[in-house]
Amino acid sequence: MPRPFIVNDNLFYVPNPHVQKNTFITQTPDTDELPTYDESKDKLPKPIWDGHDDALRCYDFTWQTAFKNLRKANAESGFVSNFIDTAFNGYLFMWDSAFIVMFGKYGSKIFNFQRTLDNLYSHQHQDGFICREICEHANGEQFARDDPASTGPNVLPWSEWTYFCSTNDTERLARVFDPLCAYHKWLQLNRSWPDGTYWTCGLGSGMDNQPRPESIYDSGLSHGFMSWIDACAQQYLSAEILVKMAKILGREEETLWLVEESEMLKKIINEKMWDEETGFYYDTRRNGMVSGVKTVGAYWTLLAGLVPEERRDRFVAHLDNEKEFKRPNRVPTLSADEPNYYAEGGHWCGSVWAPTNYMVLNGLHNNGYHDLAHEIACTYHKNVIDVFNERGTVFEFYAPEYITPGGGAKKNFVGWTGLAPISIFFEYVMGIMPDALNHHITWRINLTERHGIERYPLGDADVDLICEARSSADEKPVIHVKSAVPVTVDVIWNGKTETVHSTTY
């Protein structure tokens, strides 16, 4: 019979059985040498976009910077895999890393960026807790487990699922399933209110200084006795993805508790956190009233599939409202009609950040708002490129009203800003979306210039995708698809669809 608790480092744990299956904890540290950009650049995907050499230069710069940030596993710190540094303070961040690997997936055949997350799983406590900042140079964690800022947000399952869709790496799916289940359970036991909703704080949500709790509480370090809309939606998304993973792995019976939680969260979010008058989702306060603060964090509900069909148009319309989220650079993290919105950005009081933009774009895509996703992506991508042309680098975040970095933004930030010149460029500017499980690509073509990607990774295959120049958006695109294995491409343009099959090399 297992012990009812485990004592380790003067901490008491009620062990989670999923942690006992976490193979990262006992993994031998990686000893592989790190690749360099110079030896790798001719193996990376090669975008083509006639007349936009600046975007291609920014793309190359981003990979070059990313390779400079590769680090070897440090056994003294408990790291087990070589990784890409967060590019911030010598700690590996959960929030940042989950997004960094979402562009790293395009270089995974050269360096497995996804294994950066192994170092978070290797630090999992016996009850499922994972600290959100792990020291890269010594054995240490930035926060005590009971600190409201100690962990989160729970976006690891989404990051792993995104990687799986590009690679069809079922072996990794099987390895990450148990630590992800254990972490979700820890949050359920330690970060939820009696009604089943979740709480966090500014630091724990990743959006440090957003003015969300009532003014008597510290917005960065206190939960403010609120139910946080992003934390609730992220837990719903986590549960839904873990259920999908379980079906692929043949472990459905282990996720019945997650199905139950999903149903509960969907009901309470739509009943208590939606405001019919304004058509928006909000945090709810201790008294049950919605906060009324419009934050980009609400759009985790769209990504998670929580928004009923009859509400979607009203909810999405805020993204296209010039008084709210449709600013010269999109999408600000705080609505422009909020009193704490800053034209220069003010960090999370309006700045435009790659991770939240990527989340919004994914949510729009999943719900069929493809034209709006393309428009937002092009606006944001152009802003990043324009700043790159002027300053020669990419930044941590950008101002919503001006073609400048946000005040205090770190430069050379690759870092999650790598999403803009790589993933957002590929997926929402060019419109190329992978389905490696079925050797399938969906290509929504909006650009009229000759464009595409050579060496596009899809599972084990490399695919060349080229669309010839067109005289108008209505003209039928001429598509060339080459691959060593059969690949099917659904080409969509101006409301029309055609299926194209690859030719072989």
Side-chain angles (χ1 to χ4, degrees):
M1 181 176 179
R3 295 174 63 185
F5 61 87
I6 294 174
V7 182
N8 184 28
D9 297 331
N10 297 318
L11 295 175
F12 288 83
Y13 298 102
V14 177
N16 185 302
H18 284 290
V19 178
Q20 298 171 18
K21 301 177 184 178
N22 180 346
T23 60
F24 298 97
I25 294 174
T26 56
Q27 179 176 314
T28 302
D30 192 354
T31 59
D32 292 345
E33 293 301 314
L34 299 175
T36 66
Y37 172 75
D38 287 339
E39 68 188 16
S40 305
K41 59 184 178 181
D42 293 334
K43 303 173 188 176
L44 289 165
K46 179 184 177 182
I48 296 164
W49 192 14
D50 287 0
H52 294 268
D53 290 347
D54 51 358
L56 305 183
R57 286 195 303 272
C58 186
Y59 172 85
D60 291 338
F61 170 84
T62 300
W63 278 122
Q64 188 173 3
T65 308
F67 275 82
K68 289 178 181 177
N69 289 331
L70 299 185
R71 302 286 185 268
K72 298 202 66 156
N74 179 358
E76 292 182 3
S77 63
F79 279 41
V80 297
S81 293
N82 293 344
F83 63 99
I84 180 169
D85 178 36
T86 304
F88 193 74
N89 66 352
Y91 280 74
L92 190 71
F93 281 65
M94 176 188 294
W95 164 241
D96 296 59
S97 296
F99 283 100
I100 290 169
V101 299
M102 288 191 192
F103 74 79
K105 66 188 177 187
Y106 290 109
S108 63
K109 292 180 181 178
I110 301 161
F111 178 81
N112 194 332
F113 288 83
Q114 197 72 20
R115 293 187 62 190
T116 297
L117 304 185
D118 298 358
N119 300 308
L120 294 164
Y121 305 140
S122 72
H123 282 73
Q124 186 164 50
H125 294 217
Q126 290 298 314
D127 60 351
F129 170 77
I130 304 175
C131 186
R132 70 179 185 85
E133 288 186 46
I134 309 295
C135 184
E136 297 176 2
H137 309 108
N139 186 7
E141 299 175 345
Q142 185 80 301
F143 296 92
R145 53 194 285 111
D146 293 329
D147 190 322
S150 66
T151 193
N154 186 14
V155 295
L156 294 171
W158 179 42
S159 180
E160 294 287 0
W161 186 255
T162 300
Y163 177 76
F164 175 72
C165 289
S166 286
T167 63
N168 193 24
D169 188 349
T170 307
E171 182 179 345
R172 180 169 182 85
L173 209 65
R175 287 196 73 195
V176 302
F177 178 74
D178 286 293
L180 292 176
C181 283
Y183 179 57
H184 187 110
K185 173 59 75 172
W186 188 91
L187 290 167
Q188 186 186 59
L189 294 174
N190 295 275
R191 290 292 187 267
S192 66
W193 298 117
D195 67 355
T197 57
Y198 284 82
W199 60 267
T200 182
C201 64
L203 288 173
S205 76
M207 299 190 291
D208 311 354
N209 68 328
Q210 271 200 348
R212 293 167 67 173
E214 297 179 54
S215 59
I216 60 172
Y217 303 107
D218 186 303
S219 63
L221 300 173
S222 173
H223 52 56
F225 295 98
M226 298 191 312
S227 296
W228 291 57
I229 185 60
D230 42 352
C232 292
Q234 287 157 359
Q235 283 298 98
Y236 178 88
L237 178 63
S238 170
E240 291 289 289
I241 290 174
L242 290 172
V243 169
K244 288 194 289 187
M245 289 182 178
K247 288 180 180 177
I248 292 171
L249 300 172
R251 300 176 65 177
E252 294 98 322
E253 291 186 3
E254 299 177 51
T255 56
L256 296 178
W257 64 283
L258 290 164
V259 173
E260 181 179 347
E261 183 181 43
S262 291
E263 294 172 352
M264 178 274 298
L265 279 172
K266 189 169 190 175
K267 185 175 187 293
I268 199 166
I269 287 169
N270 279 301
E271 287 183 356
K272 295 188 176 182
M273 307 183 84
W274 170 261
D275 179 60
E276 181 62 27
E277 182 178 350
T278 58
F280 205 79
Y281 289 93
Y282 299 96
D283 305 326
T284 53
R285 301 202 183 282
R286 198 176 195 175
N287 61 6
M289 303 294 290
V290 296
S291 69
V293 179
K294 290 197 291 293
T295 163
V296 74
Y299 284 95
W300 284 99
T301 60
L302 191 67
L303 175 65
L306 280 162
V307 186
E309 183 177 358
E310 64 273 14
R311 292 179 178 174
R312 284 180 206 149
D313 285 350
R314 285 188 69 202
F315 184 50
V316 168
H318 295 276
L319 294 170
D320 213 26
N321 186 331
E322 294 180 353
K323 295 180 179 179
E324 297 177 293
F325 292 102
K326 187 180 182 180
R327 304 309 303 156
N329 191 12
R330 300 162 82 171
V331 173
T333 48
L334 194 66
S335 177
D337 60 354
E338 292 291 339
N340 290 288
Y341 175 83
Y342 288 91
E344 297 80 10
H347 214 58
W348 292 95
C349 292
S351 291
V352 180
W353 294 74
T356 45
N357 267 7
Y358 194 61
M359 173 270 292
V360 168
L361 292 170
N362 272 256
L364 291 171
H365 171 81
N366 291 351
N367 288 273
Y369 294 92
H370 303 294
D371 291 343
L372 181 58
H374 176 71
E375 179 186 334
I376 290 173
C378 287
T379 300
Y380 171 56
H381 182 255
K382 184 179 185 303
N383 189 287
V384 171
I385 300 306
D386 287 346
V387 173
F388 173 79
N389 287 338
E390 181 181 342
R391 308 208 183 191
T393 188
V394 295
F395 288 83
E396 184 184 9
F397 54 89
Y398 294 82
E401 303 291 335
Y402 312 108
I403 304 175
T404 62
K410 288 181 176 290
K411 64 180 181 179
N412 302 324
F413 198 77
V414 186
W416 56 24
T417 301
L419 285 165
I422 301 175
S423 295
I424 290 174
F425 179 31
F426 284 5
E427 297 164 19
Y428 297 104
V429 177
M430 288 195 185
I432 299 171
M433 300 295 288
D435 177 7
L437 184 63
N438 297 299
H439 296 94
H440 179 265
I441 291 170
T442 301
W443 193 352
R444 298 181 180 276
I445 295 179
N446 292 286
L447 305 177
T448 55
E449 304 92 345
R450 182 176 182 271
H451 67 285
I453 306 171
E454 295 178 351
R455 299 190 297 268
Y456 179 85
L458 185 72
D460 293 332
D462 281 342
V463 186
D464 289 347
L465 301 156
I466 302 295
C467 175
E468 299 294 348
R470 300 180 295 157
S471 60
S472 70
D474 189 51
E475 181 181 340
K476 180 180 176 180
V478 175
I479 303 296
H480 307 286
V481 182
K482 292 184 179 181
S483 174
V485 300
V487 172
T488 302
V489 180
D490 284 341
V491 180
I492 302 170
W493 78 100
N494 207 30
K496 305 177 183 69
T497 302
E498 180 177 85
T499 300
V500 176
H501 300 279
S502 63
T503 59
T504 57
Y505 289 115

